[in-house]
Amino acid sequence: MAQYECKLCGYIYDEEAGCDEQGVAPGTKWTDVPDDFECPLCGAGKDDFELK
């Protein structure tokens, strides 16, 4: 599974772990994360993440 890093604050979205703060279940691939996803640390949008 892949990891994606917020370019603004460095938060790591790990597909294996998901993101409880944003209601994204563990095992959710980045392509399946909703387009309105926001970084739980800084509020950046999904477009501000890049493959780590």
Side-chain angles (χ1 to χ4, degrees), residues 5-11 22 30 34-49:
E5 183 175 8
C6 176
K7 295 183 284 187
L8 302 180
C9 75
Y11 170 81
Q22 293 293 322
W30 184 246
D35 290 337
D36 62 354
F37 177 85
E38 293 182 348
C39 176
L41 298 182
C42 74
K46 190 174 175 183
D47 292 342
D48 292 314
F49 282 74

Side-chain angles (χ1 to χ4, degrees), residues 2-34:
Q3 295 181 335
Y4 291 80
E5 183 175 8
C6 176
K7 295 183 284 187
L8 302 180
C9 75
Y11 170 81
I12 302 294
Y13 173 79
D14 184 343
E15 291 179 339
E16 188 173 334
C19 180
D20 285 340
E21 298 90 346
Q22 293 293 322
V24 179
T28 303
K29 297 241 183 247
W30 184 246
T31 55
D32 296 329
V33 171

